[in-house]
Amino acid sequence: MKICIIYHSETGNTRHVAQHIASVTTDSRLVEVTDRKRHFALTRFLMQCNAARGERKTEIEPSHLDVREYDLLVFGSPVWAFKPTPAIHTMIDAIDNCGKKRAVAFVTCGGRAGQSEEVFRKWIESRGMIFAGFIAVNQKDIEDDAANADLVTFVKAAAPKLM
């Protein structure tokens, strides 16, 4: 089974989790989505949280992605204003050949995941993918062996033939 791990990371926490998933799966690909929109340094965080809260989109790189060859899609995002980021939202809408693919999502957060699961489900299902699960990884647990074991169990449950 082939897996594509698509994530947006600002501080490196989400990247770390995505890389961990890739390290325990065979035949996986990492795709980091970056926000290309320019923000003023003083207002960057507030503007990005406002955009996340409104479920708005942004300019991203890569601008599209064909996932035809993959069996499972894993989406990852930090939590901003209790929701996933505009960059991952834009990427989900820019994916080609994703219909009927199984998809799971994870978020990294310093507190609560808020509405992230519901929002990911809505975005994934609106593209014709099958929402197969969600997990939140708290910032304090990113290096924790037990939390990482839970993450591996989560991915295995979404794709039993993956490991």
Side-chain angles (χ1 to χ4, degrees):
M1 179 173 274
K2 294 182 82 171
I3 180 174
C4 189
I5 305 159
I6 305 158
Y7 67 96
H8 173 235
S9 185
E10 286 286 323
T11 64
N13 289 336
T14 308
R15 179 181 307 110
H16 180 81
V17 173
Q19 289 172 338
H20 179 73
I21 294 169
S23 75
V24 298
T25 58
T26 56
D27 210 4
S28 61
R29 174 184 176 195
L30 285 167
V31 177
E32 182 166 7
V33 180
T34 57
D35 187 337
R36 295 183 61 213
K37 191 171 183 179
R38 294 184 173 245
H39 300 280
F40 292 108
L42 292 175
T43 59
R44 179 180 171 89
F45 183 70
L46 292 175
M47 297 298 290
Q48 289 175 323
C49 284
N50 188 39
R53 192 82 194 132
E55 297 181 30
R56 291 194 292 278
K57 298 177 191 167
T58 190
E59 300 168 25
I60 59 166
E61 183 67 36
S63 60
H64 72 280
L65 178 67
D66 190 330
V67 296
R68 176 183 334 225
E69 67 185 88
Y70 299 99
D71 304 298
L72 177 68
L73 305 177
V74 176
F75 296 103
S77 174
V79 174
W80 292 352
F82 304 109
K83 293 187 177 182
T85 66
I88 203 67
H89 183 195
T90 307
M91 186 76 257
I92 289 171
D93 278 356
I95 292 177
D96 296 325
N97 299 303
C98 61
K100 299 188 181 180
K101 299 277 184 187
R102 289 179 59 80
V104 297
F106 73 89
V107 293
T108 55
C109 53
R112 296 179 304 148
Q115 300 166 309
S116 297
E117 181 174 5
E118 296 82 9
V119 171
F120 260 125
R121 177 186 295 274
K122 177 176 67 175
W123 294 346
I124 288 168
E125 290 179 346
S126 74
R127 293 300 320 278
M129 292 177 269
I130 300 162
F131 183 75
F134 173 86
I135 193 167
V137 180
N138 194 286
Q139 183 176 354
K140 65 179 177 49
D141 293 330
I142 288 175
E143 298 287 342
D144 181 79
D145 290 339
N148 285 326
D150 289 344
L151 184 62
V152 171
T153 300
F154 165 72
V155 173
K156 284 183 180 181
K161 297 177 185 175
L162 191 61
M163 308 287 179

